[in-house]
């Protein structure tokens, strides 16, 4: 998957592509927006763009060992933390320790923290020194549905992107492409109904489509 394929978030994808082309990536990003609109997907695409072993840049190959392992959430240099279930300072300390060491295979060591607003204040404070003086090889991506709950000292050190709810038209169009790729025959009315029920979230729409096709 590429930046252009994240439905409804072209403004984010294009800005990140420009930053990659100009070699002007920030050391920390804050991806904000409703659930299911592509924040974690975009984070993984950015990770692939930075660490692709074949064609790093705005068109990662998607096939090399780095790209495939990042997509699966299993890459040795891209560490993911779900703060909804791991929010304490002892959960964040291994991440801080890891940031001190160079990546094993890739140009950057990348940390993706989902539901970042769930981190405790003590966890944020433990992470703050690393954010204030980040090693050159480290990139942080925080994804959150509630940016106001991320402490201000962290927000001020991140480049923020606001993800939008996806239009029903865009959701229906993406569902049509998915169904066509799977060889499924689905009426347009079904796509329209799913898009309405998804209330702007692509992930929920894809789940509903899976149920309909099942």
């Amino acid at each position: 998957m590429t930046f252009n394929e994240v439905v409804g978030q072209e403004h984010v994808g294009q800005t990140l592509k420009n930053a990659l082309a100009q070699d002007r990536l920030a050391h920390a990003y804050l991806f904000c927006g409703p659930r299911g609109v592509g924040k974690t997907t975009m984070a993984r695409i950015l990770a692939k763009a930075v660490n692709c072993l074949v064609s790093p840049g705005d068109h990662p190959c998607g096939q090399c060992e780095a790209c495939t392992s990042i997509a699966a959430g299993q890459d040795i240099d891209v560490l993911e933390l779900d703060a909804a279930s791991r929010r304490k300072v002892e959960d964040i300390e291994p991440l801080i320790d890891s940031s001190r060491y160079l990546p094993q295979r890739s140009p950057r060591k990348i940390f993706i923290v989902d539901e970042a607003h769930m981190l405790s204040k003590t966890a944020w404070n433990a992470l703050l020194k690393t954010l204030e003086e980040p090693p050159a090889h480290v990139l942080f991506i925080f994804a959150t549905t509630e940016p106001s709950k991320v402490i201000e000292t962290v927000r001020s050190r991140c480049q923020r992107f606001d993800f939008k709810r996806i239009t029903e038209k865009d959701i229906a169009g993406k569902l049509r492409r998915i169904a066509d790729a799977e060889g499924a025959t689905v009426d347009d009315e079904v796509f329209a109904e799913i898009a309405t029920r998804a209330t702007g979230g692509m992930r929920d729409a894809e789940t509903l489509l899976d149920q309909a096709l099942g």
Side-chain angles (χ1 to χ4, degrees), residues 47-53 56 66 77 102-110 136-139:
K48 287 189 287 185
V50 172
N51 283 352
C52 177
L53 301 176
D77 292 321
L102 291 170
Q104 296 183 47
R105 174 185 61 200
S106 310
R108 294 272 196 119
K109 183 168 283 188
I110 300 173
H137 61 271
V138 167
L139 172 64

Side-chain angles (χ1 to χ4, degrees), residues 174-187 191 209 213:
K174 178 63 180 295
L175 296 179
R176 165 60 70 189
R177 293 192 291 275
I178 292 172
D180 288 349
E182 296 184 1
T185 301
V186 182
D187 292 337
F191 296 133
L209 178 63
L213 294 179

Side-chain angles (χ1 to χ4, degrees), residues 68-79:
T68 54
S69 60
I70 290 169
Q74 299 173 342
D75 191 73
I76 56 175
D77 292 321
V78 180
L79 308 181

Side-chain angles (χ1 to χ4, degrees), residues 4 16 60 82 115 127 135 179 182 196:
N4 293 338
L16 291 174
D82 182 1
E115 300 293 347
L127 185 58
E182 296 184 1
T196 299

Side-chain angles (χ1 to χ4, degrees), residues 96-114:
I96 297 169
D97 290 340
S98 177
S99 71
R100 300 188 179 106
Y101 301 100
L102 291 170
Q104 296 183 47
R105 174 185 61 200
S106 310
R108 294 272 196 119
K109 183 168 283 188
I110 300 173
F111 301 98
I112 299 172
V113 181
D114 201 11

Side-chain angles (χ1 to χ4, degrees), residues 119-139:
L119 286 177
S120 67
K121 187 173 182 179
T122 53
W124 277 123
N125 287 335
L127 185 58
L128 193 55
K129 180 173 176 56
T130 304
L131 287 173
E132 289 173 335
E133 301 174 8
H137 61 271
V138 167
L139 172 64

